[in-house]
Amino acid sequence: MNELKIDSNLLANEMKNTFENIVGIHFEQDIVLDDTELIELMQIALNSMFGEEKKQQYYNIDTKEALFTFLYLTYEKNFQSYTKNDNALILLSTICVALFLSKSSAQSTQLITTLLKNLPGMSTYSSDIEPYLTSDDLRGLLFWSITTLSSLDYDLVNTMNISYEYTPPKITPEWLNTYRKEEDPMEFWFYNSSIGNGLFLILYTPKCRYAKCSGCNLPSLSSQSKTTSPSAVYKQVDTVLQNSLSHKEKESIKEMILSNNGNLFDIKTMPTLSLLYTINALIEELPSLEKIIIESRIEYLNEHQLKTINEVLSAHEDRNIKIEIALGFEIFDDEIRNGYYQKGFYKSALEKLMPLFSKYDVSLKFYMMYKAVPNMSTQEAIDDMNNVSKYAHELINTYDVNINIHISPTYVAVGTLLEKEFNDGNYTPPGPKEVDMLCQQLEIFDNVSYYISLNDEGLSSTHIEEEYTLFLDLKSRVGYFNSYQKWRTEEFQ
Ligand code: SF4
């Protein structure tokens, strides 16, 4: 291969030209930091990602262009001694600056893609970066860039205090077929739980064998093989716990949602050995972990499984880890849930298992979809959520089992019956206004806990554009509610 030799000055000019063309700024500043200041700056920068307020608080730089210039020059100058060559220097600086400055992942992706396309010598990195860019996995990209492009000591990377809002990577069946490595899980991301930082981990295993629910297309993302070996799952768990999280992140995780986009208690898709190994590894590797939430349909659950999980927990008695089982309840109304929605979830089956949940001190999470079917008015959808709230309250009183209600505004998943209804004009997913109405009318019981899920995926993009201010306001109110289980005093009182 013919490698193009470029000297630092030429590279610096190329870099400047690229960014001057994109953001229309000139590079004139000359800032040098020592190593400690560099690390501090990186931590502040990474922690401030997506937070305009903090950026200004630290640097008092009030225009995006000025901040961009400041950081780009700072990174470029100070990464010099930590990178192996000029191309690595430019790429690392670009990635850090693009991630820090952009609120939108699309903008970061655009900046990085422009650099990859336009600067000679970058093609060697393109194939490594493509999986991150195509799935909007900017955290993954950051980790890749620090570990691959810099010569920073690995422990230093692990001790960096990276923590920022993180949404699920956008993956598709095609993405998984093209990029997923054998040892990778399907995906993972962080979320805020009522007890602190949470990690959502989806393991790659055979698909849900039920596969009938009318709003769900998750089985298309899972493995299409019929079986999996325990060791295939062990590798995925080890990859996440050993290579993909920093020490700080591991220390911060209080809660885990464990999923395979299907049923973790179905031994055909998740061997019991794999489940026990996963639970044990999570407890051993995450020192602050308090709760593990396991997703499954109810018919795969039996006493034997609860008993064996309890044996693993007893081996870590001093940690007092709680297990929660997350069930797709979706809609309270029996007729709609098991008729149109084809959920196949019966309250009688749940009530039969309640004494067992009580015996093994297992709590429950009910996944609910808000306005999940066509021909349901907003008021009917709110009443449906209030009915499940009352039902949970009564179950807790009878069986002394803790219950969390996890409400997601419905979104239209590609390839589902609901998508057909949407395309035919028979269905509109709930937007910020409808979610706002739910927040105002949701009947809250002291003994029930609640989580309202509000990510972009849960609301149609057209609604967000139309009602963006309301959406941002809702995000802040719902974030407070999820953490404190009450609305801020000025709201809904
Ligand atoms: S919602 Fe759950 S049970 Fe229903 S098809 Fe999807 S993965 Fe299977």
Side-chain angles (χ1 to χ4, degrees):
M1 202 175 76
N2 215 353
E3 229 186 353
L4 200 57
K5 276 204 159 196
I6 308 173
D7 67 29
S8 298
N9 285 339
L10 184 57
L11 279 172
N13 278 336
E14 288 275 8
M15 184 178 70
K16 284 178 190 176
N17 289 341
T18 305
F19 284 95
E20 280 172 1
N21 288 340
I22 293 171
V23 293
I25 53 165
H26 298 284
F27 292 80
E28 287 166 1
Q29 299 172 23
D30 188 19
I31 302 156
V32 180
L33 301 177
D34 64 27
D35 294 5
T36 318
E37 287 170 320
L38 166 70
I39 298 304
E40 198 182 328
L41 174 72
M42 285 180 74
Q43 290 182 347
I44 291 168
L46 296 169
N47 289 333
S48 308
M49 213 181 285
F50 308 118
E52 198 66 41
E53 265 175 40
K54 279 191 185 167
K55 281 181 222 162
Q56 296 189 13
Q57 180 189 330
Y58 285 116
Y59 295 114
N60 200 22
I61 293 174
D62 53 3
T63 69
K64 189 161 184 164
E65 285 72 20
L67 184 58
F68 194 97
T69 311
F70 171 81
L71 283 168
Y72 199 84
L73 281 174
T74 305
Y75 282 125
E76 192 239 345
K77 284 195 180 301
N78 290 286
F79 280 164
Q80 243 156 17
S81 55
Y82 294 109
T83 46
K84 293 160 196 159
N85 56 48
D86 287 340
N87 281 347
L89 169 65
I90 290 176
L91 189 52
L92 181 61
S93 309
T94 305
I95 289 170
C96 285
V97 172
L99 295 189
F100 173 32
L101 277 181
S102 300
K103 274 191 178 173
S104 99
S105 56
Q107 197 182 20
S108 300
T109 305
Q110 194 195 345
L111 284 167
I112 298 163
T113 309
T114 307
L115 183 83
L116 289 175
K117 276 196 190 147
N118 293 315
L119 202 61
M122 288 293 157
S123 56
T124 42
Y125 300 112
S126 297
S127 58
D128 281 345
I129 290 182
E130 204 172 71
Y132 301 108
L133 291 183
T134 49
S135 61
D136 278 354
D137 184 3
L138 300 182
R139 178 192 170 281
L141 179 61
L142 184 65
F143 260 69
W144 173 86
S145 65
I146 292 173
T147 50
T148 314
L149 300 174
S150 83
S151 52
L152 285 170
D153 184 89
Y154 191 61
D155 277 344
L156 185 60
V157 174
N158 269 346
T159 51
M160 282 183 69
N161 185 20
I162 300 174
S163 65
Y164 53 91
E165 194 179 357
Y166 189 45
T167 50
K170 293 189 173 59
I171 57 167
T172 59
E174 295 71 42
W175 187 95
L176 286 163
N177 286 335
T178 314
Y179 300 117
R180 184 187 160 267
K181 298 191 197 89
E182 200 203 325
E183 66 278 14
D184 288 344
M186 187 182 296
E187 56 183 335
F188 67 87
W189 66 91
F190 298 100
Y191 63 93
N192 287 325
S193 81
S194 57
I195 54 172
N197 203 14
L199 178 68
F200 205 124
L201 171 62
I202 305 185
L203 297 166
Y204 189 77
T205 72
K207 63 184 177 183
C208 163
R209 287 194 296 144
Y210 180 76
K212 283 188 206 153
C213 306
S214 74
C216 172
N217 197 19
L218 293 176
S220 70
L221 286 170
S222 296
S223 162
Q224 303 303 308
S225 318
K226 290 236 165 2
T227 55
T228 188
S229 74
S231 61
V233 177
Y234 301 168
K235 281 186 204 155
Q236 296 175 35
V237 174
D238 291 348
T239 298
V240 175
L241 293 174
Q242 307 299 339
N243 305 328
S244 314
L245 303 174
S246 73
H247 287 161
K248 291 273 176 196
E249 284 171 333
K250 282 193 196 177
E251 277 167 11
S252 74
I253 294 166
K254 296 263 173 109
E255 182 179 293
M256 278 285 315
I257 299 183
L258 196 56
S259 167
N260 63 347
N261 271 353
N263 308 293
L264 286 170
F265 286 110
D266 176 8
I267 55 172
K268 291 255 166 60
T269 55
M270 179 77 169
T272 307
L273 264 182
S274 309
L275 183 59
L276 299 179
Y277 176 89
T278 306
I279 291 171
N280 189 61
L282 294 174
I283 298 172
E284 287 185 351
E285 291 293 326
L286 307 175
S288 310
L289 191 65
E290 292 176 15
K291 189 194 262 186
I292 302 175
I293 299 164
I294 303 171
E295 291 185 348
S296 184
R297 287 181 65 82
I298 202 161
E299 63 262 32
Y300 299 117
L301 266 158
N302 58 48
E303 179 159 15
H304 173 71
Q305 286 157 319
L306 297 181
K307 208 169 160 214
T308 43
I309 288 178
N310 244 28
E311 282 164 19
V312 177
L313 299 185
S314 332
H316 302 278
E317 228 173 9
D318 50 322
R319 297 281 304 276
N320 195 22
I321 304 280
K322 297 285 176 213
I323 295 289
E324 185 162 292
I325 295 172
L327 303 166
F329 197 136
E330 322 295 11
I331 303 156
F332 184 76
D333 187 294
D334 293 321
E335 231 167 82
I336 302 177
R337 183 179 65 252
N338 292 327
Y340 178 88
Y341 201 82
Q342 298 188 63
K343 187 70 208 176
F345 176 90
Y346 298 92
K347 290 192 210 99
S348 53
L350 169 69
E351 286 159 23
K352 222 169 160 183
L353 284 173
M354 288 306 287
L356 272 187
F357 297 140
S358 179
K359 178 175 171 188
Y360 289 97
D361 194 22
V362 165
S363 61
L364 296 179
K365 180 186 284 297
F366 293 163
Y367 282 133
M368 304 304 299
M369 301 297 294
Y370 174 53
K371 218 177 177 192
V373 293
N375 303 323
M376 192 183 221
S377 70
T378 302
Q379 196 52 54
E380 284 165 344
I382 294 169
D383 292 346
D384 197 67
M385 296 298 111
N386 281 336
N387 286 338
V388 79
S389 186
K390 255 179 252 147
Y391 180 63
H393 167 69
E394 284 155 15
L395 283 179
I396 297 168
N397 282 344
T398 313
Y399 298 100
D400 194 22
V401 168
N402 288 335
I403 298 178
N404 171 266
I405 298 182
H406 183 117
I407 302 174
S408 300
T410 302
Y411 65 96
V412 177
V414 179
T416 60
L417 177 59
L418 204 59
E419 187 194 30
K420 192 181 169 309
E421 299 276 16
F422 176 72
N423 290 336
D424 292 347
N426 300 329
Y427 177 71
T428 311
K433 257 189 209 149
E434 283 97 337
V435 178
D436 188 36
M437 284 171 71
L438 171 69
C439 293
Q440 300 199 37
Q441 294 182 43
L442 184 65
E443 201 173 335
I444 295 165
F445 292 91
D446 281 348
N447 60 350
V448 184
S449 68
Y450 301 83
Y451 186 90
I452 299 176
S453 167
L454 249 202
N455 57 42
D456 294 8
E457 195 185 37
L459 298 165
S460 105
S461 56
T462 50
H463 282 304
I464 289 174
E465 272 167 36
E466 281 164 18
E467 301 158 7
Y468 194 62
T469 315
L470 176 58
F471 175 72
L472 290 181
D473 177 47
L474 257 180
K475 243 183 130 174
S476 138
R477 279 189 273 145
V478 164
Y480 183 93
F481 174 77
N482 288 339
S483 296
Y484 300 104
Q485 297 295 293
K486 60 178 185 187
W487 300 106
R488 273 193 296 247
T489 38
E490 68 273 21
E491 290 155 3
F492 313 145
Q493 295 296 312

